[in-house]
Amino acid sequence: MRRRGLLALVVVSLVIVAAALVALVVDSRRVTGSPRVTGQAYLDAWAAENLAEMRELVASPPPDFLDQHRRLSTDLQILSIKLTPGAVVRRGERSADMPFEGARQIGELGQWKFSSVLHLAVRDGGWKVVWTPETLHPGLAANERLRMTEIPVPGTDLLTRQGKPLPHDSGAERYFKDLTGRVDDLYVDPPTGWAIEAVASTGKSRRLVVFRQAAERRFRTTLDWWTQAAAARALDGVSDPAAIVAVRPSTGEVLAVADRLPGQGAFYRPYPVEDLGEGGLRREAAEFGFGGKLKSGLGGVCGTVRDAGNGDQPGADAIGRNSVRATPLCMALVAAAVQNGTWRPPRLMSEDAVGRLETDGRPRPRKLPPQVLAPLRSTMTAVVTDGTAAPSGLPAGVAGKTGTARAASGEDHAWFVGYRGDLAFAVLVEHGGTGAAAATPIAVRFLDAL
């Protein structure tokens, strides 16, 4: 009996010890809290900018944990952050994910919304946040840093009056390139854009979000898309350097400049024109741009006139040789003045814009003397109906003048200037020969395409 009692006592003792051991193991695996409670506490501390509390909730936080958060707030000018937790997803007994939605207020630029996930795991008997740079922002690599960057203001996008880009191979591209720099001067402190970029330690950056796109600067010129296209296509196939300039007589607006001459010759390179004699137009020429700058917003010159030393009739002032040198732009303005009765300075943009660029003033419109105007109109009408341009097939309503101007070397230069309705134009073919043979057919193609 005594042996049986001793055995029972031993068995009981072993059971007690085993139970104690089991209780000890169970207690050692007991986890305090929950992933939901830890995740919510972390997000609350984050929204309150309580960095110390956040750090306590992180498993093995990096030494610069606090600095990374402070730097992010400073670099991005974060005024506040709103964080909304989602439903916890368990990944087992000791890990879980908590998705959440975030919205940072970035200075005065607005909110930056993002979606991310808090990864949680059991560490040292409690639930902790497993922190990585992606906890700051989704997709952020360990070697990347977020920064606010300024988006440069783009160059001015010049357009035709219809708000369209230039037609293909229009011959006005060089003028638009030069005009861009001048138009940029019209803008005072244009608004820039702002974006957030992730910048790697290598210097490589990637743009994450654009808060304010740099303001596009779209500037409409006076060029008419259809008139420009017609002028450009009229020069297709012309082997010699040539140009067409078209203007609106009632306003001075440049409607087209298809220039395939050397060095922007349509605006800046005067060519011989048939002389003016001693008629009224020659005497008034200096008042109508000859000898000065045209101040169109892009510049340009007209040309020069010298004394011809004879007394030809006013109608003959547009014929002869060697007295006048003019650009195609200038001659288009002459034709416009005949059509309208008033010479107007040219412009490639609005009057307001030109006035702001040409700060020293522009020439004023000038009426043509009646004794000059009537003979010129009569002569230009007769040239088309019965004269050198009659066989060319010009459309009805066109008045104009062919010109064959002696060049210093090589073949003569070919001219045709004219008008129809509220459209005036000049065609020049460098070393093209006679105006009737080389320039007038181009004018026909140009006008037929309108």
Side-chain angles (χ1 to χ4, degrees):
M1 290 293 293
R2 292 180 64 185
R3 293 181 64 183
R4 288 181 180 178
L6 180 61
L7 181 61
L9 179 62
V10 170
V11 171
V12 170
S13 297
L14 290 174
V15 170
I16 292 172
V17 170
L21 290 173
V22 170
L24 182 63
V25 170
V26 170
D27 186 66
S28 68
R29 294 180 59 85
R30 184 174 296 155
V31 177
T32 61
S34 70
R36 173 75 185 181
V37 170
T38 299
Q40 183 67 66
Y42 186 86
L43 295 181
D44 289 345
W46 191 354
E49 299 183 18
N50 191 337
L51 301 182
E53 184 176 338
M54 290 171 66
R55 191 178 188 280
E56 291 297 321
L57 294 168
V58 173
S60 302
D64 63 344
F65 177 85
L66 301 181
D67 289 338
Q68 287 198 49
H69 276 270
R70 291 182 182 124
R71 186 171 60 231
L72 180 68
S73 294
T74 300
D75 290 349
L76 301 189
Q77 303 174 31
I78 299 174
L79 300 181
S80 64
I81 184 169
K82 182 179 180 181
L83 302 162
T84 305
V88 172
V89 179
R90 298 294 292 257
R91 303 300 182 189
E93 291 185 2
R94 302 175 69 84
S95 66
D97 290 336
M98 175 187 276
F100 67 94
E101 298 295 322
R104 293 181 172 100
Q105 179 64 36
I106 307 298
E108 297 180 357
L109 296 176
Q111 284 192 338
W112 182 21
K113 296 183 178 181
F114 62 97
S115 300
S116 191
V117 176
L118 276 184
H119 301 293
L120 301 114
V122 175
R123 296 288 188 272
D124 300 327
W127 285 95
K128 297 283 187 177
V129 173
V130 181
W131 193 93
T132 69
E134 281 194 301
T135 311
L136 278 174
H137 190 78
L140 189 66
N143 69 333
E144 289 183 318
R145 175 177 175 177
L146 297 181
R147 73 177 182 190
M148 182 76 71
T149 187
E150 184 176 344
I151 302 174
V153 176
T156 305
D157 189 9
L158 295 182
L159 306 170
T160 61
R161 67 193 307 117
Q162 290 87 359
K164 299 171 62 174
L166 287 172
H168 173 69
D169 191 22
S170 72
E173 291 82 3
R174 290 175 294 171
Y175 291 86
F176 264 35
K177 183 178 179 180
D178 289 352
L179 189 60
T180 298
R182 300 214 71 194
V183 171
D184 284 343
D185 294 338
L186 295 174
Y187 295 89
V188 179
D189 297 328
T192 55
W194 294 95
I196 290 178
E197 295 179 338
V199 185
S201 56
T202 60
K204 185 178 181 181
S205 65
R206 55 191 179 91
R207 186 165 294 175
L208 302 181
V209 62
V210 174
F211 280 100
R212 185 174 67 204
Q213 185 65 51
E216 293 186 1
R217 298 187 297 189
R218 298 168 64 84
F219 189 90
R220 297 194 185 198
T221 65
T222 62
L223 294 186
D224 178 80
W225 194 93
W226 302 104
T227 308
Q228 182 67 44
R233 301 292 71 85
L235 294 182
D236 289 348
V238 178
S239 57
D240 295 307
I244 299 175
V245 176
V247 300
R248 178 165 287 161
S250 60
T251 63
E253 295 169 287
V254 178
L255 301 178
V257 50
D259 186 356
R260 297 178 185 172
L261 299 169
Q264 295 182 318
F267 270 45
Y268 294 101
R269 187 176 181 183
Y271 288 82
V273 178
E274 300 181 357
D275 0 272
L276 296 178
E278 282 297 318
L281 183 60
R282 192 205 65 79
R283 292 193 301 270
E284 297 285 342
E287 298 294 332
F288 299 134
F290 282 87
K293 295 181 179 180
L294 291 174
K295 300 181 179 180
S296 62
L298 181 59
V301 298
C302 195
T304 58
V305 180
R306 68 173 178 81
D307 290 340
N310 62 54
D312 293 338
Q313 294 294 318
D317 285 353
I319 62 173
R321 291 184 185 274
N322 300 324
S323 176
V324 179
R325 298 182 68 85
T327 60
L329 171 61
C330 182
M331 293 310 296
L333 295 173
V334 169
V338 175
Q339 186 276 342
N340 186 259
T342 300
W343 181 92
R344 290 180 171 82
R347 57 183 174 90
L348 275 163
M349 56 190 76
S350 69
E351 286 284 5
D352 176 69
V354 175
R356 290 162 61 191
L357 290 175
E358 306 291 355
T359 55
D360 57 346
R362 292 225 301 156
R364 293 184 178 182
R366 287 289 304 274
K367 288 188 175 297
L368 285 177
Q371 66 271 24
V372 171
L373 184 60
L376 284 176
R377 285 175 172 168
S378 176
T379 298
M380 294 178 72
T381 299
V383 165
V384 174
T385 56
D386 303 306
T388 53
S392 63
L394 285 162
V398 176
K401 178 68 179 71
T402 60
T404 304
R406 185 174 300 157
S409 61
E411 283 197 76
D412 293 343
H413 300 310
W415 286 90
F416 184 78
V417 300
Y419 58 85
R420 180 181 66 174
D422 200 17
L423 173 76
F425 59 90
V427 179
L428 169 67
V429 182
E430 190 177 81
H431 303 298
T434 66
T440 307
I442 294 175
V444 173
R445 291 200 296 272
F446 167 58
L447 295 170
D448 282 347
L450 294 176

